[in-house]
Amino acid sequence: MYDVIIVGAGPSGAALSYFLVKKGFNVLTLERDPKPATRVICGEYLPDPDSLGMPKDISKAYWEFFRPFIVHRIKRISMEIENRRFTTEYIGYSIDRANMIRKRLMESVENGLSLSTKEAFLTAKLGDGCIKVITSKGEYRTKFLVGADGFGSKVARSSGLHNVIKCDDLALAFTNEVNLDLPDPEEMRLIINEELAPGTYAWVIPRSPSRANVGLGVRLSMKRSFNPVRAMKKFFKELKIKKEPILRGRYVPVGGISPRIVSHGVFLLGDAACMVIPSNGGGMHLGIIAAYLLSNSLEGEPERRYERAVREYIKPVVDLGLVHRKAADFLTRTGLLRRTVGLLPNNMVSEVIKVVKGNYYPLIKVMASMYDFLDMGRSGSYPRC
């Protein structure tokens, strides 16, 4: 019998495996793919810990987990809206996500982790004082079960933690890594363009002076009028990239944290719990931080401790990102953004980029509430839409 079984060996699952075995837990991590980190569809960007306002122990654990895998340092972020360009200083890093996951899992195995690949989670059943986990290869027993298996988590569905998500609260993101001569390798570019990336944005994240992660997204509520191949080709042409884009996409939940993330010894983590900032789709850093919080919670009253930690350190930034996202939705879908972009204060856009609550928050909050009040979100729910 295991202390913890983790389903999924992405960033969140690898981080939790790493933190738990260091504490002496008996852990089994299950991964359906033959090799962990083979499905790398991600911007591969992490913010500097000093930018997050977290307590020192959390910042230190987060930093030490990913620091060896930094490939490039970014000093600022620009947001391009119509003919205006807003820039704010913000330290972050492009990382080698695949290498980070593999190396950290390898270290964890050396420290006692049991890792099983090509093994799919099927379901879980509550037993006498334990959880029975049924997979494509067999059955296991554990005290605690963690779903780190991404959006649409099977662990969430099998344990009653799955919730219905509106199509307007879900995005599809597509990314490519390409050779690209960058005029400023220390600047990440975000491009707001409703034709290019309806309901989201396009991005250029430097990975070196001559290489970048390039991508764009679409909200699921707006995908019927969107052709991702055409959009990506158009973006490549604008960036003067001659190669043909490879279309690889993933779902990104952008509607806030799941209402329930724990139940009878089952815990959700990362994208499985929708721990994603709705305004920018960033979630890898929150998954790593949540893994550290969970590793500190599995003693005493684990469910209550984990919920409290997430409520204190993860949920506020996700909720703020949702306010920012809805305010942007209100402006874009009423056409106000195009007409008023010349009047937007730089500091307001900086607050949105940094995901902080500043002087313009009351105004942003009003615009977000108008979006809800006017019911401007497209109808339907995933997967029906």
Side-chain angles (χ1 to χ4, degrees), residues 236-297:
F236 271 38
K237 185 176 180 179
E238 290 177 1
L239 295 173
K240 298 180 180 179
I241 301 170
K242 295 182 180 180
K243 67 172 287 186
E244 285 291 309
I246 299 172
L247 206 66
R248 302 174 300 165
R250 66 181 280 261
Y251 288 113
V252 181
V254 292
I257 288 179
S258 300
R260 297 175 62 217
I261 58 172
V262 298
S263 176
H264 300 93
V266 180
F267 302 79
L268 299 182
L269 186 65
D271 280 17
C274 299
M275 292 178 179
V276 175
I277 299 176
S279 57
N280 59 34
M284 181 161 49
H285 68 295
L286 296 183
I288 295 170
I289 290 169
Y292 175 74
L293 298 175
L294 181 53
S295 73
N296 290 338
S297 300

Side-chain angles (χ1 to χ4, degrees), residues 18 22 59-69 104:
Y18 177 79
K22 287 179 70 174
S59 294
K60 182 180 179 181
Y62 164 65
W63 173 246
E64 290 182 349
F65 183 79
F66 80 83
R67 182 178 57 84
F69 310 100
R104 289 309 191 200

Side-chain angles (χ1 to χ4, degrees), residues 87-295:
T87 304
T88 187
E89 299 298 310
Y90 192 80
I91 304 298
Y93 309 94
S94 285
I95 65 157
D96 187 337
R97 176 185 181 273
N99 193 38
M100 177 183 73
I101 291 171
R102 290 169 186 151
K103 287 287 182 66
R104 289 309 191 200
L105 285 173
M106 189 183 305
E107 292 172 28
S108 299
V109 168
E110 291 172 355
N111 288 321
L113 173 71
S114 297
L115 175 64
S116 180
T117 58
K118 294 192 294 185
E119 184 163 8
F121 171 86
L122 299 179
T123 191
K125 298 178 181 179
L126 293 177
D128 295 330
C130 72
I131 301 170
K132 182 165 72 172
V133 176
I134 302 171
T135 75
S136 57
K137 291 185 178 180
E139 297 182 4
Y140 309 93
R141 282 173 169 75
T142 182
K143 295 177 186 176
F144 303 115
L145 172 64
V146 179
D149 48 341
F151 173 75
S153 165
K154 285 187 177 181
V155 173
R157 290 200 296 269
S158 71
S159 56
L161 294 173
H162 183 66
N163 62 298
V164 175
I165 296 180
K166 294 180 180 179
C167 288
D168 206 44
D169 290 335
L170 192 61
L172 268 170
F174 304 90
T175 185
N176 282 249
E177 186 172 334
V178 297
N179 292 324
L180 179 64
D181 288 330
L182 298 162
D184 186 350
E186 296 182 330
E187 180 177 289
M188 179 198 303
R189 293 176 60 197
L190 308 179
I191 300 102
I192 307 297
N193 183 312
E194 284 293 283
E195 294 182 2
L196 191 64
T200 60
Y201 61 90
W203 67 83
V204 178
I205 305 175
R207 295 183 66 75
S208 77
S210 59
R211 196 159 178 81
N213 185 301
V214 173
L216 50 78
V218 59
R219 290 271 274 289
L220 212 61
S221 55
M222 305 171 77
K223 71 179 179 66
R224 290 182 181 177
S225 58
F226 176 75
N227 184 316
V229 176
R230 187 184 305 129
M232 191 67 83
K233 284 184 176 180
K234 179 181 178 182
F235 193 34
F236 271 38
K237 185 176 180 179
E238 290 177 1
L239 295 173
K240 298 180 180 179
I241 301 170
K242 295 182 180 180
K243 67 172 287 186
E244 285 291 309
I246 299 172
L247 206 66
R248 302 174 300 165
R250 66 181 280 261
Y251 288 113
V252 181
V254 292
I257 288 179
S258 300
R260 297 175 62 217
I261 58 172
V262 298
S263 176
H264 300 93
V266 180
F267 302 79
L268 299 182
L269 186 65
D271 280 17
C274 299
M275 292 178 179
V276 175
I277 299 176
S279 57
N280 59 34
M284 181 161 49
H285 68 295
L286 296 183
I288 295 170
I289 290 169
Y292 175 74
L293 298 175
L294 181 53
S295 73

Side-chain angles (χ1 to χ4, degrees), residues 13-31:
L16 183 60
S17 303
Y18 177 79
F19 293 134
L20 285 178
V21 296
K22 287 179 70 174
K23 291 177 177 289
F25 283 84
N26 181 23
V27 182
L28 168 65
T29 298
L30 304 172
E31 171 56 49

